[in-house]
Amino acid sequence: DQQVKQNSPSLSVQEGRISILNCDYTNSMFDYFLWYKKYPAEGPTFLISISSIKDKNEDGRFTVFLNKSAKHLSLHIVPSQPGDSAVYFCAASVKFSGGYNKLIFGAGTRLAVHP
Amino acid sequence: SQTIHQWPATLVQPVGSPLSLECTVEGTSNPNLYWYRQAAGRGLQLLFYSVGIGQISSEVPQNLSASRPQDRQFILSSKKLLLSDSGFYLCAWSRGAGTEAFFGQGTRLTVV
């Protein structure tokens, strides 16, 4: 049961252009969504998040959009830079009683930004 | 500031041998703690999570177990490793619902 799906395993973008990474989810109980960036042999690093009560959150070159009716979120990187080349994971959080949460991750999308 | 330490970075173990991976968090108290595994070419699969000392929840039936002997210490163990236990294991912590999780550097486990 894959609750968080990233259907594009890879994406190639030219430097300076926009990168758009997509993510779909199935569980309507998810209340918080996150994007992580991961380099090989390292742990993921947190990039940006969005609460389910919002539809957009922006942080510098990174913007996350949430469409709750479509159960879809996307990460926009503008302008894309070669250093952005990495695997990007979408994650969704569901809250449980007691104040703890579980993060469910997608399979990741490998972004390659070329000159 | 908070930091998370995970060791060892790499580990090669024979089939049938035991396993112990340790994770510690500094600079915070009563964190939520998690163990994830990334198999080759796959996403991050949640294995265990803990909301307090001695409280462990398992996500998937498997050959592994977890323990939390202290507030900021999380241990992943196995009595007898299988080939299928190979993968990249990640420890993470969060403050709770509605917050991001922070990951350690990971352990690359190869069972031979």
Side-chain angles (χ1 to χ4, degrees):
Chain A
D1 178 21
Q2 203 173 356
Q3 299 185 64
V4 179
K5 299 179 183 180
Q6 293 178 257
N7 293 318
S8 297
S10 63
L11 176 67
S12 182
V13 172
Q14 191 172 20
E15 181 179 4
R17 306 293 290 268
I18 184 172
S19 295
I20 300 177
L21 298 113
N22 294 303
C23 179
D24 297 293
Y25 63 96
T26 57
N27 190 343
S28 58
M29 297 300 292
F30 289 142
D31 60 357
Y32 190 62
F33 302 89
L34 310 93
W35 284 95
Y36 283 81
K37 178 180 179 180
K38 185 181 182 301
Y39 294 113
E42 294 184 7
T45 54
F46 169 72
L47 267 180
I48 192 168
S49 62
I50 187 167
S51 165
S52 61
I53 63 174
K54 295 185 177 181
D55 55 19
K56 178 183 175 181
N57 187 27
E58 189 173 353
D59 183 3
R61 296 186 297 116
F62 303 92
T63 303
V64 56
F65 295 92
L66 175 63
N67 183 333
K68 284 187 66 178
S69 61
K71 292 191 174 66
H72 177 83
L73 69 154
S74 61
L75 174 68
H76 292 208
I77 306 174
V78 181
S80 300
Q81 301 173 354
D84 296 328
S85 298
V87 176
Y88 288 79
F89 288 98
C90 167
S93 173
V94 55
K95 185 167 50 180
F96 291 85
S97 59
Y100 70 94
N101 61 323
K102 276 199 306 190
L103 282 185
I104 309 297
F105 283 81
T109 297
R110 182 176 302 277
L111 173 66
V113 180
H114 54 87
Chain B
S1 64
Q2 299 83 18
T3 57
I4 179 168
H5 302 281
Q6 186 182 342
W7 66 93
T10 59
L11 191 59
V12 179
Q13 291 283 97
V15 169
S17 64
L19 172 73
S20 180
L21 302 181
E22 189 165 342
C23 172
T24 60
V25 181
E26 296 178 357
T28 189
S29 60
N30 198 31
N32 292 343
L33 295 173
Y34 309 87
W35 279 110
Y36 284 86
R37 175 172 59 200
Q38 183 184 20
R42 305 285 295 276
L44 301 173
Q45 181 186 33
L46 179 61
L47 301 177
F48 300 95
Y49 60 93
S50 171
V51 299
I53 296 174
Q55 300 179 60
I56 309 295
S57 295
S58 173
E59 279 295 293
V60 293
Q62 57 199 302
N63 185 42
L64 302 168
S65 62
S67 61
R68 185 171 177 173
Q70 300 180 40
D71 181 45
R72 290 169 289 176
Q73 183 185 30
F74 206 23
I75 298 172
L76 184 69
S77 304
S78 173
K79 292 182 179 178
K80 289 185 179 182
L81 284 168
L82 306 172
L83 287 174
S84 58
D85 292 324
S86 295
F88 191 55
Y89 289 84
L90 290 154
C91 180
W93 76 274
S94 77
R95 291 184 181 86
T99 65
E100 63 270 27
F102 299 93
F103 285 82
Q105 287 299 295
T107 296
R108 170 71 59 192
L109 171 66
T110 304
V111 182
V112 295

